[in-house]
Amino acid sequence: MLVQRILIFILFSCSVYGNTLDTIKSSLPRKEILKLAKEASDLLHESNFEKSFAASRIVLRYAYEKGDNYLIAKSYNTIGANYEQLSEYDKAILYYKKGLSFAYKAKNDTIKNWIYDNLGSLYCFEKKNYEEGIEYLKESLRFNEENKDTTKIVTTKLKIAWAYFDIKLFNEGIEYLDFVNQNKSQYVDNSKVVVLNMLNGMYYGNRNKHAMAESYFLQAIELGIQENNKTDLSYSYQEYSNYLFKIGAYKKAYEYLVKYNQLSTDIQNSENIKRAKRVGVNVELDDYKRKVDSITAVNILQNHSLRKSKIIVVMFIVVIVVLLLQMYTLYKNYLFKKKSNKELTLTNAELIVAKQKADEASHLKSQFISTITHELRTPLYGVVGITNMLLEEHKELENSPHLNSLKFSARYLLSLINDVLQINKIEENRIVLEELTFNIEDEIEMIITSLSFIAKNHNNAIDVELDPNIPELLIGDKLRFSQILINLISNALKFTHDGKVVISAKLVKIEGVKHFIEFKIKDNGIGIAKEDQEKVFDTFTQVGRRDIDYQGTGLGLPIVKKLLELFDSTVAIESKLGEGTTFTFTIGFDFDPQKTTAIINNIEVDLSESQVFKILVVDDNSINRLVTQKTIEKRNYKCEVVGSGKEAIELVKNKNFDAILMDINMPEMNGFEASKIIRDMGVKTPIIALTAFNKDEITEEALSVGMNDIIVKPFETTVLFKVINQLIYKG
């Protein structure tokens, strides 16, 4: 660091002895440069991006040589417009803003207006940053109104109306659209009439005036085809598809969505754009070259000064002395590090041994949790199943407090087991996020419905605030996302009485297809003391139980924290005793219509019919056999039960079954061994593992012996019959 400071001091001191370079004078008259700048702009409008880029580069070079701020601003504006046409939006913004800075230096309102208009259009319709884009467009509108240029006023107001309509602010945008409609006969040409009809279609579609909306959309599409206006035609296809989807005409909406995707692809893949991208790189290289040339010129001056300066000798001696001192310091540091490394090597060896012991302990813990949860799930399956059977077969016991308490206790214990397993799976990095398409509003509504009993018991109201800018269909792991919301909302309801819980979702950022949404769960309940706010995320920790016994495992918030880490997110807490608590987190979900369509097309549909199937149940536990048999026979299926794998093999030799439900943990011969023998016999009947083991632990072995699927006990009957029917129909 000291050496660097001394070198900088030397260069600064010597620079006073340098000579200035002669100013480079352009050999081209300004009139010719202006003519070339106009040619670059004309080539852009003709979509000849390659030649437009090349001409703009030449203009920019001469403009810098002359120091002509107007020409520099105009060139940067043309280059930015070329990049915008190539969908290189970040580069376009960079060059537009460069141009704007030189336009202010040139004090030229016309070029300012061009650039404000270009920036506004780009931010609104490409970057989807409508707030900033509308501000730029309004600034452009101000210039146009001062100049009383009605043609440009109409064009700018058309864009502002479009921007407001894109974000569903129809009341704010209608005044601008009305102005355009009033002046369309005189100032709206064929290049704008497609968009005007499309916006009228959007407005009347929002007002549910379907006949008018349909008419305007079809006029926009017809004119777009006639004028071969591919860009505006693609927008018309897209907005018409959105409108059709809104009114429930899904098939027709899909057809126009396909047309939009095809036309967008054609526009993007044109040969002119591919060639122009290569040429466009040269513009950036010119910028860098100018910077390098500038630095080189300074270096030449400094070197020339150093050669003439006597003080350089003294300075170099000082540098050499400093370097020698630094070398000595480095040598001393080397000796010190050598000693430290030896100590670190010994410490690392101890750490390796400690890590091995920790890994072994972690493995034993996982094994213990797996065994315990399996042993608990097996009797729980019987308890839950028999309780349901008693309630169904003896309707007079439906209101029995004893049976209902038994059912609640069993489900509460099952919830505790699932929470412990969830924590264990996350800690061992055994959870991989899935990609499913879902609607945030639907997920929140389902969660609120499932938690309505808690809200009712505590006399709480639930409000939902959703940002309209959030896309309707997103892609992500909706199961893990729902687990996060369920834990936070149930917590808020549990610790709030006679109050309100507010669930809000707001779109805060867009990066490519990734849409970042901020969620807030706010209540006006008992609140959490400041000293306890960090503790609530510790496993099995509960606070605020001094006055009232709030039931719970103490695992809800730790699960929330760990699941959010899988989404590369964190949870923030704001709380005050007696006033309530707010939990805030942000998750990025993908918005990709093409990928969404592919996911929806691949969803398996339950083809269950009223057909009667014959099912074989293999389970060594007599209570579990009875529960499973009753569950199956209640569906009017035929069912046979056996208590071991050997009995199942003998039975399969002589009888045909549509499906086999196979327990895993059985004496003498387990379910894996029995399944392998059945497959070796050539039997193709679907085999479903019906087990208390965690699914992740046995999936690989189950597939290797020929099992078709796994269902974990206790299970929902709808899940069981869905899997049975899907496997039978696939076969």
Side-chain angles (χ1 to χ4, degrees), residues 38-51:
K38 184 179 183 305
E39 184 179 346
S41 180
D42 292 339
L43 289 166
L44 167 65
H45 294 137
E46 294 168 9
S47 298
N48 194 335
F49 306 117
E50 180 178 1
K51 291 184 178 179

Side-chain angles (χ1 to χ4, degrees), residues 334-350:
Y334 166 74
L335 294 177
F336 175 76
K337 287 181 180 178
K338 185 177 180 182
K339 182 181 177 182
S340 299
N341 286 340
K342 187 176 180 181
E343 294 173 356
L344 284 172
T345 302
L346 295 173
T347 304
N348 284 340
E350 294 173 357

